[in-house]
Amino acid sequence: MNKSQKKKLTIFKLFSQNLEWVKEHPSITFHPDFFNGYICPLCFDVFFEKDLQTTVKNYLTLEDIPPASLGGKPLALTCKNCNSRSGHELDIHLLKSLIETDAQMFLPNSKMNLTFDLRGNKMNGGVEVDNKGTVRLYMHSKRSNPKEAEQFRYDMYPPKTFYNPLLYPEKLFEDEYQSPTFKIKFNQTSNERRAEIALLRIAYLLAYSTFGNGFLINGGLYKVREQILNPDKEVLPRVFWLKYNFPEENEGVNIISLPRELRSFLVVFNLKTKSQTRQFGIVLPGPSNPSVNVYDFITNQLCVGDGTKFTNAMLEHIPVRDYLRKREYAFASNSYWQKFTHENYKPRLKPETDS
């Protein structure tokens, strides 16, 4: 058994035991019932230890959260169908979007294809920024329209006439050649909507990997899963995030307790490219009101310009603990929700820390 197989088995047993503890709740039943299984957190199909083998048609795969290309590591399992589809339809667009943004900001260690435009004649090319911030623009004449590329080069570097200084002394001190002004257009290939849903997927799986199967007992998450599995379908409003610089102690899972219209789970995480690290705060519905209507509140009340502003809200950080390994933590996410959103609860100014 190699390292990857051992990791898969360890995660399977951890979540499988957690699921058995969740099933002990008298109001939770499965038809037909099963034991020692694993529920894919996206499609909700049930799998067993035999489904760890890659010889099975739809086997369980390690799920890097966030994607490994953005600094993540394997924290859970998803079935091959969900993993493959999400990687192709979502994660790749998120990675492209971040890399393209790095290049458009000319950040170190970034690069991107672009198009040069000079007097209507276009030339394909690119931009590269090295680790010291030095910018290099280059052109691909062979990947461009031959006629336009030829005219572009002519206009960019017109033939220069050399004068005999004895016959034309007035030409001796003419200004040196100056390059004409040209436009550049970055060739963006990412799908913005799919990149946004990829962020929603990361937040959902991070919360699941933190709390286990008890977190899934939340009716509001049904729409979240539906949106993740159907990225081209408008299941949820457009905005899932809060534009705010959260302090480091808020990284992980939080609960927004006030205002009531914004009550929700808030998952704060970082994504790393070769150029920089970015923080994201993604909202997930809670198990009671406002549930999925929290996205309408964000869209209609908090959105300003191209993002959202998060101010005058009460935020409670859920302490970091090993919630998957103890029976008493099987429904920890719901317990914290009830505690922090209870009408008699008095929010504290500082987030709770683990003892």
Side-chain angles (χ1 to χ4, degrees):
M1 184 180 293
N2 59 35
K3 185 177 180 180
S4 176
Q5 291 171 327
K6 290 180 180 179
K7 184 67 174 178
K8 286 172 63 175
L9 181 59
T10 299
I11 293 176
F12 177 88
K13 290 182 176 180
L14 184 64
F15 280 85
S16 180
Q17 177 61 77
N18 171 262
L19 179 58
E20 292 302 315
W21 290 331
V22 170
K23 288 169 60 181
E24 291 175 358
H25 196 284
S27 64
I28 296 176
T29 57
F30 289 85
H31 299 286
D33 199 2
F34 61 90
F35 300 95
N36 301 319
Y38 182 96
I39 296 176
C40 174
L42 294 173
C43 65
F44 266 33
D45 284 348
V46 179
F47 297 85
F48 299 93
E49 189 170 332
K50 65 178 180 61
D51 296 311
L52 295 172
Q53 303 300 320
T54 56
T55 53
V56 178
K57 184 177 181 180
N58 185 26
Y59 57 88
L60 288 170
T61 65
L62 285 173
E63 180 69 47
D64 293 314
I65 314 170
S69 57
L70 293 170
K73 56 185 178 180
L75 298 177
L77 304 175
T78 54
C79 69
K80 179 178 179 293
N81 289 346
C82 289
N83 193 321
S84 299
R85 186 168 65 174
S86 294
H88 175 70
E89 296 183 350
L90 300 176
D91 292 345
I92 191 171
H93 288 283
L94 176 58
L95 177 60
K96 284 183 178 180
S97 176
L98 295 177
I99 291 176
E100 289 168 353
T101 300
D102 290 344
Q104 291 170 20
M105 296 173 65
F106 297 102
L107 296 180
N109 298 312
S110 64
K111 62 180 180 179
M112 186 178 180
N113 293 329
L114 49 78
T115 301
F116 300 92
D117 187 326
L118 177 55
R119 299 168 186 165
N121 293 300
K122 297 179 175 60
M123 175 84 81
N124 292 326
V127 57
E128 288 187 359
V129 187
D130 65 19
N131 58 1
K132 296 181 180 179
T134 302
V135 179
R136 184 175 74 91
L137 298 175
Y138 55 90
M139 301 176 184
H140 292 309
S141 58
K142 293 182 179 180
R143 300 179 186 176
S144 309
N145 181 293
K147 292 184 178 180
E148 289 195 17
E150 182 179 358
Q151 186 62 48
F152 184 97
R153 285 196 301 268
Y154 183 89
D155 292 339
M156 190 73 179
Y157 309 106
K160 184 173 179 61
T161 302
F162 294 92
Y163 295 93
N164 187 322
L166 296 177
L167 300 177
Y168 301 95
E170 74 278 5
K171 302 284 189 179
L172 182 61
F173 300 105
E174 275 193 337
D175 292 339
E176 294 184 0
Y177 163 76
Q178 293 184 351
S179 173
T181 301
F182 58 85
K183 300 176 182 178
I184 62 173
K185 178 183 179 182
F186 291 96
N187 299 338
Q188 186 167 337
T189 60
S190 63
N191 181 300
E192 182 182 356
R193 178 60 173 173
R194 290 191 176 192
E196 293 166 352
I197 296 174
L199 292 172
L200 182 69
R201 182 180 188 273
I202 291 171
Y204 171 77
L205 291 176
L206 274 174
Y208 166 72
S209 66
T210 299
F211 296 113
N213 296 277
F215 178 74
L216 303 180
I217 312 301
N218 175 347
L221 295 177
Y222 173 80
K223 290 292 185 182
V224 171
R225 289 188 293 271
E226 185 181 355
Q227 181 66 86
I228 293 170
L229 294 175
N230 300 276
D232 294 327
K233 182 179 178 183
E234 192 169 332
V235 179
L236 296 174
R238 188 171 188 84
V239 182
F240 315 126
W241 58 88
L242 298 176
K243 286 287 183 74
Y244 187 80
N245 293 322
F246 295 97
E248 185 177 347
E249 57 264 28
N250 285 127
E251 292 178 5
V253 185
N254 308 268
I255 290 177
I256 302 175
S257 58
L258 292 172
R260 295 179 184 177
E261 298 85 354
L262 192 56
R263 283 179 175 173
S264 58
F265 290 102
L266 177 69
V267 185
V268 179
F269 56 90
N270 295 317
L271 297 181
K272 299 178 182 180
T273 64
K274 293 181 180 180
S275 301
Q276 70 170 347
T277 298
R278 292 181 179 85
Q279 184 193 79
F280 294 90
I282 306 299
V283 170
L284 297 175
S288 62
N289 288 333
S291 189
V292 293
N293 291 330
V294 68
Y295 297 125
D296 291 324
F297 178 79
I298 295 173
T299 300
N300 298 328
Q301 301 296 325
L302 298 185
C303 284
V304 177
D306 60 352
T308 61
K309 291 186 177 180
F310 177 74
T311 56
N312 300 323
M314 289 294 182
L315 183 66
E316 295 287 349
H317 182 65
I318 296 179
V320 177
R321 293 183 179 135
D322 199 345
Y323 294 102
L324 291 169
R325 296 184 184 275
K326 293 185 178 181
R327 176 184 274 106
E328 58 265 34
Y329 289 155
F331 293 95
S333 60
N334 287 275
S335 297
Y336 281 116
W337 178 265
Q338 293 174 10
K339 173 184 176 181
F340 293 145
T341 62
H342 195 276
E343 295 298 332
N344 295 326
Y345 175 70
K346 295 180 180 179
R348 300 178 305 114
L349 294 178
K350 295 183 179 180
E352 181 176 347
T353 57
D354 198 4
S355 58

